[in-house]
């Protein structure tokens, strides 16, 4: 990290914009990074710029930073991938056994042909049997004919298709660590060299490459295309010119859907895959947030299982799990989503007459909107998606499909490993130093990082007591408690109602967070604010543990404008206690409104310290991290 | 969606004699003038499952079914037909084609299922839980004709015993116990281990296994390989999987894990474990997860797999055609309450020629080219194509297949009359089944009998 940091200070003057900014002037916006329809994201000063020596010539960037290392980066990668096909071919042996099926497939285009040839008659082991291809697939009317057939046609082609990406991937991964090391080294070297050379160097380098840590303002997509286009074909220019316009459109802050705007809601509903019945009786203040009748979505989505053709099964599964609440928690949802995307990319093949970059980006967007329909994205997921889309947009055009795919899968792995797992480890390392013998630690809900901190401290032999505060309706704390108790920690369990009573014994409060916003506001499971405030009143330090990839540059002062509404039934009913469901039958009354908020915002005043992968920082330093390191999140 | 569909169409069913014969295998048995297999295939087609393997018992039957499918579903479905020897059971049939199975999950549907439950729902449940097997349960259909209850009475008592006894967990998502067939009569043996892990089990006898399953392919193939005595999916494979869900032999879990791990580098395995722990902690553990945990919280070597259920809502229609009574019921329902099941391709030909003063009541279906004489009465019945019915004939609650000739003055109640049957004048049939090509002599009266040509 350190060398990068110094590198950045050189380019400081450009980035040092503190506080709020007015939207960039139109000229700037041309070169701003593509917005990728992230509704959460307000317009922001572009952190990501490429030196442009592009034909359009709108090089307004005041500072030119050499896009140094990327040359080597790409070079390394392509060099690596050249070897992969050989590996892939070794799999062809597998397909040998099934040629008859393939023949069938090939012939299946002749409609109405009745073939009673003994198709692999002896291939049934043991029993005497033969399969008769009675009717051939001749679906001309189906739109997705070519992929459909190739996917479904017998076993052979499926295996071939599946195996190839796998092989590429394994190879990729085998070398990935070494490669990553080499890459990093190369980057550093290049950066150092570039620094020495000064801004002039950029002109030479930028011709070839997409850049990672460079600043000058240029839309990532268009520039990468252009830069490569200059090598590949001049005709690519046209596409390059069109891109900025698109970007400009996207640049306008994508307004978040306001769900009290009826006409818009109707429109959105028409697009929606998941059947969304708006819940009645919503609380006035929260009308702008989406709230659907729970319980209708899941069965409906389930019945459509086979009908959502473009949806990848892995993505679909994750969506179902979001919807049914099988996966929750920012990190878990993010990892699950990325793993699903990885699967989807693995099985992706570019349709004819389309470019991978655009088509895949569109594909990912459709997946994302499906996931949003299942459950609104968390901020961490938004950031992760932004990262992935950036990576897709920045893929060099010259890359072959398999190379591009393996690059992306590698990127996803790296994101999970570095941004989530490594940073959790670092946070644990930092936080453990704050735990001393005899401490009484309080935590609220179930945060994966806090759990790891507690377990790690326990492993180190520290003697401390844990208070797990929980709240209805999710009772996530109980799951945490269960795991802690099994590991032998001494615990107290209480509900949030009693937090003021127990707080006087507590020496530290550890909280997880869904996100930390740039004014230091901690956006987390509802109830966190309450716990933090009580702790503040008792002068107990509140330590918020949050990975840096969850930071967001948005500023939020209350928990009203952005939030998520849960199932209102969850608070009106007590599971397993039929006898105390006093609200039965009242739920649909006009004058009863149920509010089940999922998140709340804790003002930074109540937070003593934020423990993140860059160290322990005061909440006021969050904007610095967001500004300084966001490039890392997006580009690395 | 990485699902492969296997339709077990069956061949000649003993339960359905004399309705089925060599010329008319069970899959082609007409229900409301439309082969029963059509209902399944149509349902699958609606769900966008266009790539099917249809397994038929017996070579001849396979040829017949194949010819029919290629005639009907041409341009619409990609169907492969596999013929397997007769009497090898459902498990045997799957074993015979198991090397054709390549997708991650296999959807196995019985060819005699008449249902409007979307298979997607089952598949989605299966995927969501990452189950080894998911089975669809539906409520036991009301059997016996609604109006003329007399015929159903005896059958009903007999048949209720044949359905399943099913144990579910409190959330009604997992299958804990299933007793089928002959086992129902015996004492129920419930695994203590399962009961201990779950804590509470709900026993249901009002649910029926609809014979629509989603299997994880690796699990299915392992079981079929190792347990080569297993004959039936319903009576052997499914109970075995349910029984062993908490002590699942290593083989059930080994394959998928092996695949995953081989992709990962050794160094990243640590991370992998990390990820899986985060994911596992993020969700509410099912009893499988809790059980497989060691007391200290680390996940142990105990292997488990999940057996899930999808319970069709009570408003949906779901019946298997596995007995003559069921055949009658389905015929009645399909023309009556559940007429949405009739696929649009079930073309009803130009309306048949009716004689004067002939009345055709509601819930009837007349095939094309049928002719009826004067003063006939048809109520709640299905009449196939090219039938010739004389005058003064009364047909109530019956199924008359194609090319049947009915003489004047016949009275047919609650009966099934197969193709090419000739009823001479003044025949009275009540609750009878008449096999194909049979000739009923004039003036004869039968009650609750099964008439068929003596073969050989």
């Amino acid at each position: 990290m350190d060398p990068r940091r110094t590198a950045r200070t050189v380019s400081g003057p450009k980035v040092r914009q503190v506080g709020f900014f007015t939207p960039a002037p139109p000229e700037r916006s041309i070169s701003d990074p593509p917005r990728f329809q992230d509704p959460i994201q307000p317009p922001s000063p572009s952190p990501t710029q490429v030196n442009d020596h592009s034909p359009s010539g709108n090089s307004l960037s005041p500072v030119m930073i050499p896009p140094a290392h990327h040359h080597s980066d790409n070079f390394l990668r392509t060099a690596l991938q050249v070897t992969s096909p050989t590996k892939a071919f070794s799999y062809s042996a597998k397909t040998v056994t099934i040629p008859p099926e393939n023949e069938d497939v090939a012939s299946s285009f002749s409609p109405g042909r009745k073939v009673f040839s003994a198709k692999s008659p002896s291939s049934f082991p043991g029993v005497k049997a033969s399969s008769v291809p009675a009717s051939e697939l001749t679906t001309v009317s189906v739109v997705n004919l070519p992929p459909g057939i190739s996917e479904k046609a017998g076993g052979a082609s499926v295996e071939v298709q599946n195996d190839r990406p796998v092989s590429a991937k394994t190879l990729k991964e085998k070398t990935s660590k070494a490669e990553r090391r080499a890459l990093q080294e190369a980057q550093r070297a290049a950066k150092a060299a570039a620094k020495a050379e000064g801004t002039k160097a950029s002109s030479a380098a930028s011709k070839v490459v997409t850049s990672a840590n460079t600043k000058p303002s240029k839309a990532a997509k268009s520039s990468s295309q252009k830069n490569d286009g200059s090598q590949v074909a001049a005709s690519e220019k046209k596409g390059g010119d069109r891109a900025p316009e698109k970007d400009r459109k996207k640049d306008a802050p994508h307004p978040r859907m306001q769900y009290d705007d009826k006409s818009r809601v109707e429109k959105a509903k028409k697009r929606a895959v998941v059947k969304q019945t708006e819940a009645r009786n919503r609380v006035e203040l929260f009308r702008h947030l989406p709230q659907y009748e729970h319980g209708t979505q899941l069965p409906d989505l389930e019945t459509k299982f086979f009908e959502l053709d473009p949806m990848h099964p892995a993505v679909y599964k994750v969506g179902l799990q979001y919807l049914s609440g099988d996966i929750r928690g920012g990190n878990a949802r993010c990892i699950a989503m990325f793993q699903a995307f990885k699967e989807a990319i693995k099985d992706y093949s570019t349709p004819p007459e389309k470019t991978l970059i655009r088509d895949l980006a569109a594909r990912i967007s459709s997946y994302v909107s499906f996931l949003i329909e299942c459950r609104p994205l968390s901020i961490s997921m938004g950031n992760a998606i932004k990262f992935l889309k950036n990576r897709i947009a920045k893929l060099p055009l010259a890359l072959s499909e398999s190379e591009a795919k393996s690059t992306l899968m590698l990127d996803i792995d790296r994101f999970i490993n570095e941004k989530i797992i490594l940073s959790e480890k670092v946070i644990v390392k930092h936080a453990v130093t704050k735990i001393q013998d005899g401490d009484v630690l309080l935590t609220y809900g179930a945060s994966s990082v806090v759990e790891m901190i507690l377990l790690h401290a326990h492993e180190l032999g520290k003697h401390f007591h844990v208070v797990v505060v929980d709240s209805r309706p999710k009772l996530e704390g109980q799951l945490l408690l269960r795991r802690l108790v099994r590991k032998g920690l001494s615990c107290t369990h209480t509900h949030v109602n009693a937090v003021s009573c127990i707080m006087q014994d507590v020496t530290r409060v550890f909280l997880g967070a869904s996100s930390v916003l740039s004014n230091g506001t901690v956006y987390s499971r509802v109830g966190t604010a309450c716990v933090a405030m009580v702790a503040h009143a008792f002068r107990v330090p509140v330590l918020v543990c949050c990975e840096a990839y969850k930071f967001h540059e948005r500023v939020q002062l209350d928990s009203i404008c952005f939030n998520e509404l849960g199932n209102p039934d969850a608070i009106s009913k007590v599971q397993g206690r039929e006898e105390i469901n006093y609200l039965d039958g009242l739920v649909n009354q006009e004058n009863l409104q149920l509010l089940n908020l999922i998140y709340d915002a804790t003002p930074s005043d109540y937070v003593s310290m934020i423990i993140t992968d860059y160290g322990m920082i005061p909440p006021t330093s969050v904007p610095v991290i967001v500004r300084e390191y966001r490039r890392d999140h997006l580009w690395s | 969606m990485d699902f492969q569909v296997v339709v077990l169409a069956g061949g000649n069913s003993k339960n359905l004699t004399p309705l089925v014969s060599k010329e008319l295998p069970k899959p082609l048995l007409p229900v409301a003038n439309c082969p029963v297999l059509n209902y399944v295939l149509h349902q699958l087609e609606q769900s966008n499952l266009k790539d099917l393997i249809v397994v038929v018992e017996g070579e001849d039957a396979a040829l017949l079914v194949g010819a029919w499918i290629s005639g009907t579903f041409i341009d619409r479905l990609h169907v492969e037909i596999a013929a397997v020897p007769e009497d090898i059971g459902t498990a045997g049939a799957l074993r015979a084609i198991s090397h054709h199975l390549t997708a991650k999950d296999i959807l196995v549907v019985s060819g005699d299922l008449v249902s409007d439950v979307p298979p997607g729902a089952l598949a989605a449940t299966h995927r969501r839980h990452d189950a080894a097997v998911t089975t669809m349960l539906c409520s036991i259909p009301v059997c016996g004709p609604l109006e003329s209850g007399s015929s159903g009475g005896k059958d009903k008592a007999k048949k209720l015993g044949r359905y399943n006894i099913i144990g579910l967990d409190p959330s009604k998502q997992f299958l804990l116990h299933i007793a089928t067939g002959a086992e129902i009569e015996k004492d129920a043996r419930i695994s203590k281990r399962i009961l201990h892990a779950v804590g509470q089990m709900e026993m249901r006898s009002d649910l029926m296994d609809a014979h629509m399953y989603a299997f994880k392919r690796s699990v299915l193939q392992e079981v079929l390989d190792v347990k080569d005595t297993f004959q039936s999916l319903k009576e052997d494979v499914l109970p075995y999987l349910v029984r062993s869900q908490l002590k699942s032999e290593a083989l059930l879990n080994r394959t998928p894990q092996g695949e995953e791990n081989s992709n990962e580098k050794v160094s990243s395995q640590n991370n992998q474990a990390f990820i899986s722990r985060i994911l596992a902690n993020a969700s509410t553990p099912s009893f499988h997860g809790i059980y497989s945990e060691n007391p200290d919280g680390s996940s142990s070597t105990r292997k488990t797999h999940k057996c899930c259920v999808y319970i069709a809502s009570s408003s949906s229609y779901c019946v298997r055609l596995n007995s003559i009574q069921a055949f009658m019921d389905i015929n009645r329902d399909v023309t009556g309450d559940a007429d949405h099941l009739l696929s649009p391709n079930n073309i009803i030909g130009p309306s048949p020629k009716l004689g004067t003063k002939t009345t055709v009541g509601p819930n009837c279906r007349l095939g094309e080219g049928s002719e009826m004489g004067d003063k006939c009465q048809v109520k709640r019945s299905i009449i196939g194509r090219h039938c010739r019915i004389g005058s003064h004939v009364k047909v109530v609650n019956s199924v008359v297949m194609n090319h049947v000739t009915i003489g004047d003055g016949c009275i047919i109640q609650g009966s099934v009359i197969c193709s090419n049957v000739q009823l001479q004048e003044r025949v009275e049939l009540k609750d009878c089944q008449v096999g194909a090509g049979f000739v009923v002599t004039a003036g004869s009266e039968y009650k609750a009998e099964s008439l068929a040509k003596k073969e050989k």
Side-chain angles (χ1 to χ4, degrees):
Chain A
M1 282 302 149
D2 278 351
R4 284 191 187 187
R5 227 177 153 165
T6 51
R8 197 140 301 119
T9 50
V10 172
S11 57
K14 176 70 193 21
V15 235
R16 290 251 173 268
Q17 301 154 302
V18 183
F20 301 92
F21 323 112
T22 50
E27 294 90 354
R28 265 290 296 283
S29 72
I30 292 177
S31 45
D32 260 354
R35 265 297 81 100
F36 293 127
Q37 301 140 355
D38 185 0
I40 304 164
Q41 169 104 10
S44 58
S46 82
T48 55
Q49 290 150 342
V50 178
N51 258 333
D52 51 354
H53 294 259
S54 51
S56 58
N58 43 7
S59 54
L60 295 168
S61 48
V63 184
M64 297 284 217
I65 297 296
H69 42 292
H70 267 271
H71 207 347
S72 52
D73 172 359
N74 274 332
F75 187 71
L76 267 177
R77 237 173 234 172
T78 41
L80 197 85
Q81 276 146 353
V82 167
T83 59
S84 66
T86 57
K87 179 96 180 190
F89 283 129
S90 67
Y91 277 77
S92 60
K94 258 194 182 172
T95 68
V96 171
T97 50
I98 331 177
E101 291 233 356
N102 273 341
E103 264 174 28
D104 243 355
V105 172
S107 66
S108 70
F109 283 99
S110 62
R113 207 166 58 96
K114 227 188 279 177
V115 186
F116 280 97
S117 67
K119 189 189 67 175
S120 63
S122 58
S123 59
F124 293 96
V127 269
K128 187 210 99 182
S130 75
S131 64
V132 187
S135 111
E136 309 274 295
L137 173 64
T138 48
T139 27
V140 191
S141 57
V142 176
V143 188
N144 57 350
L145 185 62
I149 285 185
S150 64
E151 234 173 52
K152 294 169 181 175
S157 51
V158 173
E159 261 181 45
V160 179
Q161 282 190 349
N162 286 348
D163 280 344
R164 202 155 288 162
V166 171
S167 69
K169 194 179 135 222
T170 47
L171 183 87
K172 199 73 200 168
E173 274 176 2
K174 249 175 236 160
T175 51
S176 72
K177 192 111 192 187
E179 187 223 10
R180 224 183 292 155
R181 179 67 42 78
L183 203 147
Q184 223 166 22
E185 228 72 273
Q187 283 180 350
R188 273 183 202 151
K191 193 175 271 179
K195 214 202 292 179
E197 267 192 68
T199 50
K200 266 187 285 173
S202 62
S203 59
S206 69
K207 200 170 76 189
V208 199
V209 258
T210 59
S211 78
N213 284 328
T214 48
K215 228 144 288 148
S217 63
K218 180 66 207 152
K221 206 192 215 169
S222 67
S223 73
S224 70
Q225 274 174 354
K226 235 168 262 167
N227 288 339
D228 289 304
S230 61
Q231 283 182 321
V232 181
S235 63
E236 205 57 36
K237 250 184 214 167
K238 216 166 140 196
D241 283 335
R242 221 181 301 137
E245 266 169 48
K246 232 185 206 168
D247 292 339
R248 198 185 299 160
K249 248 183 246 162
K250 281 180 193 161
D251 241 10
H254 197 298
R256 208 177 171 171
M257 246 293 267
Q258 298 293 302
Y259 282 80
D260 42 1
D261 183 346
K262 270 195 189 134
S263 61
R264 270 162 190 268
V265 170
E266 283 305 314
K267 262 182 217 164
K269 229 185 257 176
K270 269 177 212 158
R271 285 196 306 267
V273 176
V274 185
K275 188 178 143 208
Q276 297 169 329
T277 325
E278 291 273 319
R280 283 154 295 171
N281 292 350
R282 283 178 297 167
V283 177
E284 186 59 47
L285 200 53
F286 293 93
R287 286 262 164 99
H288 59 288
L289 298 174
Q291 183 167 29
Y292 306 114
E293 295 268 11
H294 283 252
T296 57
Q297 288 168 286
L298 187 60
D300 185 69
L301 189 61
E302 280 187 339
T303 57
K304 282 194 205 155
F305 185 71
F306 291 112
E307 288 153 44
L308 298 174
D309 236 0
M311 212 51 66
H312 190 272
V315 178
Y316 191 90
K317 181 180 168 185
V318 171
L320 275 179
Q321 284 172 331
Y322 287 171
L323 191 55
S324 61
D326 285 349
I327 294 185
R328 49 198 186 199
N331 284 337
R333 278 168 72 193
C334 193
I335 291 174
M337 177 185 73
F338 256 9
Q339 283 180 338
F341 283 172
K342 209 169 107 183
E343 290 283 306
I345 291 174
K346 198 165 90 182
D347 295 345
Y348 172 81
S349 63
T350 319
E353 301 184 6
K354 288 200 176 166
T355 53
L356 179 131
I357 295 175
R358 282 156 188 251
D359 190 57
L360 189 58
R363 195 72 69 91
I364 296 286
S365 301
S366 73
Y367 294 158
V368 170
S369 59
F370 169 73
L371 293 181
I372 291 176
E373 282 168 30
C374 292
R375 190 182 160 185
L377 296 184
S378 67
I379 290 173
S380 58
M381 289 161 75
N383 284 343
I385 290 166
K386 211 182 302 164
F387 161 82
L388 179 63
K389 288 195 169 175
N390 243 317
R391 296 305 306 181
I392 295 175
K394 273 166 43 64
L395 281 176
L397 269 187
L399 230 52
S400 78
E401 186 181 309
S402 64
E403 285 168 342
K405 277 160 62 176
S406 50
T407 313
L408 285 177
M409 290 194 288
L410 197 69
D411 282 335
I412 288 179
D413 276 343
R414 274 173 56 191
F415 187 90
I416 293 178
N417 288 342
E418 288 175 14
K419 298 290 170 226
I420 302 178
I421 291 176
L422 271 181
S423 49
E424 285 203 350
K425 284 181 180 159
V426 173
I427 291 173
V428 167
K429 213 175 279 172
H430 285 309
V432 159
T433 62
K434 294 288 166 197
I435 300 179
Q436 278 131 30
D437 280 351
D439 266 351
V440 178
L441 311 175
L442 184 141
T443 183
Y444 176 74
S447 156
S448 58
V449 193
V450 172
E451 180 184 350
M452 282 169 57
I453 292 168
L454 297 176
L455 292 179
H456 187 66
H458 181 70
E459 274 166 28
L460 291 181
K462 301 198 174 182
H463 296 283
F464 58 94
H465 187 80
V466 182
V467 180
V468 178
V469 179
D470 207 351
S471 73
R472 287 205 61 240
K474 296 218 170 184
L475 296 178
E476 288 162 319
Q478 291 190 353
L479 294 173
L480 171 69
L481 197 67
R482 176 192 175 83
R483 294 190 287 264
L484 293 182
V485 170
R486 288 206 159 192
K487 294 273 186 187
L489 278 79
S490 94
C491 298
T492 302
H493 181 51
T494 182
H495 273 209
V496 76
N497 333 15
V499 73
S500 61
C501 309
I502 198 123
M503 194 57 88
Q504 51 201 0
D505 305 330
V506 173
T507 55
R508 276 183 195 15
V509 174
F510 279 94
L511 297 173
S514 170
S515 178
V516 178
L517 309 177
S518 63
N519 58 346
T521 303
V522 175
Y523 187 67
S524 186
R525 159 77 59 236
V526 67
T528 306
C530 166
V531 171
M533 284 177 204
V534 173
H536 182 77
F538 280 87
R539 308 203 179 285
V540 179
V542 175
L543 311 176
V544 171
C545 308
C546 182
E547 298 86 345
Y549 86 103
K550 290 177 174 175
F551 287 13
H552 200 275
E553 71 262 20
R554 183 205 289 164
V555 170
Q556 197 172 327
L557 300 175
D558 55 33
S559 44
I560 297 171
C561 50
F562 295 102
N563 211 321
E564 193 184 327
L565 297 179
N567 184 2
D569 287 347
I571 53 169
S572 66
K573 285 182 184 150
V574 182
Q575 218 181 1
R577 299 263 328 256
E578 299 293 328
E579 70 276 11
I580 57 166
N581 286 343
Y582 303 119
L583 289 179
D584 269 358
L586 292 178
V587 173
N588 285 334
Q589 291 243 329
E590 277 291 310
N591 50 0
L592 172 66
Q593 296 163 342
L594 298 167
L595 176 65
N596 181 11
L597 276 182
I598 304 280
Y599 296 107
D600 68 8
T602 310
S604 59
D605 306 349
Y606 304 117
V607 178
S608 325
M609 185 191 278
I610 291 173
I611 305 177
T612 179
D613 21 347
Y614 298 109
M616 294 179 272
I617 56 166
T620 45
S621 301
V622 172
V624 181
I625 299 249
V626 170
R627 192 190 325 120
E628 295 290 312
Y629 291 99
R630 197 176 38 186
R631 251 164 282 115
D632 274 358
H633 300 315
L634 292 183
W635 299 117
S636 63
Chain B
M1 284 294 176
D2 207 10
F3 259 90
Q4 239 176 332
V5 185
V6 178
V7 179
L8 298 176
N12 292 325
S13 160
K14 287 192 191 74
N15 288 336
L16 285 171
T17 46
L19 304 189
V20 297
S21 59
K22 277 232 149 48
E23 293 78 43
L24 187 76
K26 181 177 164 188
L28 298 184
L29 191 65
V31 171
N33 293 339
C34 185
V36 62
L37 190 59
N38 185 45
Y39 292 90
V40 173
L41 297 187
H42 179 68
Q43 177 75 13
L44 293 170
E45 190 194 5
Q46 295 281 78
S47 305
N48 207 11
L49 288 167
K50 309 212 166 172
D51 194 53
L52 319 171
I53 300 176
V54 175
V55 184
V56 186
E57 283 185 359
E59 300 272 347
D60 302 336
L63 283 177
L64 285 170
V65 173
W68 173 75
I69 291 177
S70 62
T72 314
F73 283 99
I74 200 144
D75 288 358
R76 286 161 56 197
L77 292 175
H78 177 78
V79 180
E80 287 171 61
I81 292 210
V84 296
E86 291 177 36
D87 297 326
I88 60 170
T90 44
L94 273 184
R95 200 175 285 133
I97 59 150
S98 81
H99 65 285
H100 280 307
L101 304 177
T102 49
K104 186 163 164 258
D105 295 288
I106 311 293
L107 190 70
V108 180
V109 189
S110 172
D112 58 6
L113 186 69
V114 179
S115 137
D116 57 0
V117 182
L122 176 77
T125 311
H126 183 71
R127 272 288 158 79
R128 187 157 64 86
H129 291 290
D130 199 22
V133 59
T134 306
T135 179
M136 185 167 90
L137 302 178
C138 57
S139 44
I140 289 178
V142 191
C143 59
L146 291 174
E147 272 86 357
S148 61
S150 59
S151 70
K154 213 165 53 174
D155 285 348
K156 210 191 279 175
K158 226 192 282 171
K159 245 184 292 158
L160 274 179
R162 280 232 320 271
Y163 291 120
N164 312 111
I165 294 174
I166 284 163
L168 299 174
D169 80 314
S171 64
K172 295 195 176 62
Q173 287 179 323
F174 298 105
L175 189 59
L176 306 177
H177 175 76
I178 185 162
T180 49
E183 266 182 67
I184 290 184
E185 311 300 333
K186 298 183 202 155
D187 297 340
R189 294 171 149 272
I190 294 166
S191 159
K192 212 176 183 178
R193 196 194 307 257
I194 293 176
L195 205 55
H196 182 73
V198 188
Q200 200 180 345
M201 191 192 290
E202 190 181 313
M203 302 299 287
R204 303 276 292 259
S205 62
D206 59 337
L207 291 173
M208 180 185 84
D209 181 3
H211 215 296
M212 189 196 277
Y213 309 108
F215 284 101
K216 200 177 265 182
R217 176 181 55 90
S218 51
V219 172
L220 180 65
Q221 285 177 336
E222 291 270 13
V223 172
L224 290 177
D225 271 1
V226 176
K227 309 277 176 183
D228 49 4
T229 53
F230 280 2
Q231 282 271 311
S232 151
L233 279 183
K234 186 174 177 168
E235 288 168 23
D236 298 320
V237 176
L238 184 64
Y240 167 75
L241 285 174
V242 171
R243 268 201 314 274
S244 62
Q245 56 183 319
L246 288 186
K247 50 176 171 151
S248 124
E249 273 126 67
L251 58 99
L252 291 175
N253 280 355
R254 195 186 53 211
T255 334
Q257 279 185 355
E259 280 165 10
E260 277 163 30
N261 288 348
S262 66
N263 292 341
E264 308 300 336
K265 286 185 309 168
V266 183
S267 61
S268 74
Q269 235 159 23
N270 199 9
N271 284 346
Q272 216 59 38
F274 212 87
I275 292 173
S276 56
R277 206 172 78 205
I278 291 179
L279 287 179
N281 288 352
S283 57
T284 322
S286 70
F287 66 90
H288 297 95
I290 294 172
Y291 177 79
S292 62
E293 262 176 17
N294 283 335
D296 63 347
S298 64
S299 65
S300 72
T301 50
R302 286 194 240 187
K303 304 278 185 185
T304 58
H305 60 259
K306 293 180 184 170
C307 300
C308 294
V309 291
Y310 173 78
I311 301 179
S313 68
S314 52
S315 61
S316 53
Y317 186 80
C318 180
V319 185
R320 284 190 67 194
L321 200 168
N322 49 11
S323 66
I324 291 173
Q325 186 58 52
F327 176 73
M328 299 297 293
D329 293 344
I330 293 173
N331 269 307
R332 183 197 64 218
D333 294 337
V334 162
T335 49
D337 304 335
D339 55 351
H340 56 282
L341 284 171
L342 282 177
S343 45
N345 68 321
N346 181 20
I347 304 148
I348 297 159
S351 64
K353 288 176 200 159
L354 301 179
T356 53
K357 292 199 179 169
T358 288
T359 54
V360 178
N363 298 352
C364 283
R365 203 144 290 242
L366 302 183
E368 58 181 310
S370 287
E371 292 174 22
M372 293 173 83
D374 301 338
K375 294 187 182 168
C376 289
Q377 265 193 328
V378 181
K379 284 183 193 164
R380 296 184 296 278
S381 296
I382 291 160
I383 292 174
R385 288 185 303 257
H386 304 290
C387 291
R388 287 176 53 205
I389 297 175
S391 47
H392 298 280
V393 174
K394 208 173 159 189
V395 183
V396 181
N397 282 332
S398 297
V399 177
V400 177
M401 295 185 194
N402 305 332
H403 302 286
V404 175
T405 312
I406 300 176
D408 295 346
C410 287
I411 298 175
I412 301 162
Q413 280 186 320
S415 301
V416 183
I417 296 167
C418 294
S419 303
N420 300 321
V421 168
Q422 207 179 337
L423 301 185
Q424 293 173 348
E425 282 96 59
R426 296 180 311 285
V427 172
E428 280 187 36
L429 295 177
K430 195 167 183 211
D431 306 327
C432 290
Q433 294 89 41
V434 185
F438 195 79
V439 180
V440 184
T441 48
S444 45
E445 257 182 60
Y446 292 101
K447 205 168 178 186
E449 274 183 74
S450 155
L451 312 168
K453 254 202 293 196
K454 291 275 175 291
E455 284 179 29
K456 289 153 226 165

